[in-house]
Amino acid sequence: MTAPTLLSRHKMFNGSQERYCCVSPSMQREMVFSLYLPPQALQGYAVPALYWLPDSQQTDEVFVQQSGAQRFAAHWGLALIALNTAISSEQDFTSYIVHELPAWVEQHFPISNQRCLLGQGTGGYDALQIALNHSHQYAAVSAFCPPANSAWIKPLSHSLPILIDDASLHTSDEAAQSLLYAARAAGLSVQYHRRSGYDNSHYFIASFIDSHIEFHADALDL
């Protein structure tokens, strides 16, 4: 990746909410992402990173401005990296998520190589699929309202903590039960919560983002 251009910076919960753009070799175009550095990072400590994959047609700024995640990231000492791209299962996008972007942020910021993945909707599906396909690179993965598609499910040689929060107005009972059965039949360690009356929106995410960040902090032994 080329040298980044800082687009914005704001102090938030004694950390720093920042936004960058740079040209990605793997994606062959300019990419934009948001980065929240918790106060621990600003004090010089290397902190783990939680990567956010948005739902289709959403930007990094929606998560940054509406999720309320920074308050909890500051408490636990987690960097938040929110992407701004149409979610895709293409290999170049996977390479960008798994290799290129982490290498760049770990080189330029006080961020360690401890990583977790989190996503919403189609981004949640991609987070699950990428984490299981590259399970040794992630401490945990979680998702809000991933599509009820079991194609991401595969047996693993080790335990990878998985958390799924689903909304009753988004996924039918039958689809949810089928997905959960397939995951557990494959031997995956899945915590699944079905939230009554919620839809797949950032109101839903803001309501439960604290439990997701705590889940990742626990997997990282913070």
Side-chain angles (χ1 to χ4, degrees), residues 10-17 36-39 64 68 70-71 74:
H10 305 280
K11 184 174 182 178
M12 191 175 192
F13 299 114
N14 291 318
S16 183
Q17 180 64 62
Y36 177 71
L37 292 171
V64 166
Q70 296 92 335
R71 179 189 298 273

Side-chain angles (χ1 to χ4, degrees), residues 156-208:
L156 295 176
S157 60
H158 65 284
S159 178
L160 177 70
I162 302 169
L163 171 63
I164 297 175
D165 259 305
D166 219 341
S168 67
L169 301 183
H170 174 263
T171 307
S172 69
D173 290 339
E174 294 77 10
Q177 290 171 4
S178 177
L179 181 67
L180 186 59
Y181 176 80
R184 291 181 173 166
L188 299 181
S189 175
V190 179
Q191 295 182 38
Y192 182 88
H193 303 290
R194 184 165 172 78
R195 309 293 187 178
S196 178
Y198 285 91
D199 56 19
N200 181 24
S201 69
H202 274 71
Y203 297 107
F204 178 42
I205 293 169
S207 298
F208 299 104

Side-chain angles (χ1 to χ4, degrees), residues 108-122:
H108 290 88
F109 299 95
I111 294 176
S112 73
N113 62 2
Q114 294 178 287
R115 307 165 192 161
C116 292
L117 272 176
L118 166 63
Q120 176 197 11
T122 54

Side-chain angles (χ1 to χ4, degrees), residues 121-149:
T122 54
Y125 174 85
D126 276 357
L128 292 165
Q129 187 173 56
I130 290 171
L132 266 68
N133 285 335
H134 303 272
S135 57
H136 290 287
Q137 300 207 39
Y138 297 99
V141 60
S142 68
F144 288 94
C145 293
N149 180 340

Side-chain angles (χ1 to χ4, degrees), residues 52-63 66 83-87 120-122 200-202 205:
W52 167 262
L53 305 186
D55 202 357
S56 59
Q57 310 306 314
Q58 290 190 0
T59 70
D60 55 306
E61 290 185 299
V62 176
F63 177 76
Q66 298 184 21
L83 278 78
N84 180 18
T85 182
I87 298 302
Q120 176 197 11
T122 54
N200 181 24
S201 69
H202 274 71
I205 293 169

